[in-house]
């Protein structure tokens, strides 16, 4: 991030009474209700937790949000995994590194929780900047629903524990709210 703005960004855990701010950011960033509804559902979904829900603030204004929810590898319940979905930054503040700051802070917290790996279905050029590896399927990690072949590189993984990628494989099962085919076909 460039200039003095980086000094003014504060990232912290979102509070339950800030859900409206979180939903507004998602609506603004995606231009639809889909992601905001997903965030709302995930935050209230007992199968998603404990969640990592972080807000980015600039001059006390909420401008970005990221959500990490619990995931499991089918038939390998011992694996400690999470999925990043979704991440949103107010369009006025996009392309300034705020998303990367949110990802870094979220991954730091997950490392502190001894999470072994994190998955994301996202932009193939963006998420590798923060350490995600394109094409998680080539390491044996399948999505819960088939994704279009042209999106195979968008299914990514990042290990937070050395050797986790080599040690495990299987289908990633997400929180109930995210286990809907529509979220895997976009």
């Amino acid at each position: 991030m460039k200039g003095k703005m980086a000094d003014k960004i504060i990232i912290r855990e979102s509070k339950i009474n800030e859900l409206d701010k979180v939903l507004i950011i998602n609506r603004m960033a995606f231009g639809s209700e889909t992601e905001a509804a997903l965030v709302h559902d995930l935050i209230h979904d007992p199968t998603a937790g404990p969640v990592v829900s972080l807000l980015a603030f600039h001059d006390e204004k909420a401008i970005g949000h990221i959500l990490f929810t619990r995931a499991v590898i089918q038939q390998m319940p011992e694996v400690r995994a999470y999925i990043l979905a979704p991440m949103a930054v107010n369009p006025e503040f996009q392309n300034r590194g705020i998303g990367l700051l949110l990802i870094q802070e979220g991954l730091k917290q997950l490392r502190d929780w001894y999470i072994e790996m994190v998955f994301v279905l996202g932009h193939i050029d963006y998420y590798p900047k923060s350490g995600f590896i394109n094409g998680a399927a080539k390491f044996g990690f399948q999505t819960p629903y088939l994704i279009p072949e042209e999106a195979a590189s968008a299914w990514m993984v990042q290990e937070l524990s050395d050797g986790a990628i080599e040690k495990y494989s299987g289908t990633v099962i997400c929180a109930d709210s995210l286990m809907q085919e529509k979220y895997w076909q976009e």
Side-chain angles (χ1 to χ4, degrees), residues 34 37 41 145 177-186:
T34 303
D41 292 347
Y145 294 95
S177 299
L178 193 51
M179 289 294 291
Q180 298 178 42
E181 191 170 8
K182 66 181 179 180
Y183 295 125
W184 300 90
Q185 298 302 309
E186 298 178 353

Side-chain angles (χ1 to χ4, degrees), residues 23 36-46 48 177 180 183:
L23 299 180
L38 174 61
V39 169
H40 178 275
D41 292 347
L42 284 168
I43 286 176
H44 291 94
D45 184 342
S177 299
Q180 298 178 42
Y183 295 125

Side-chain angles (χ1 to χ4, degrees), residues 127-155:
Y127 288 96
K129 293 176 187 177
S130 59
F132 284 90
I133 302 168
N134 296 91
K138 68 186 173 197
F139 299 105
F141 300 105
Q142 304 304 318
T143 54
Y145 294 95
L146 288 178
I147 59 175
E149 189 174 323
E150 62 273 11
S153 291
W155 177 234

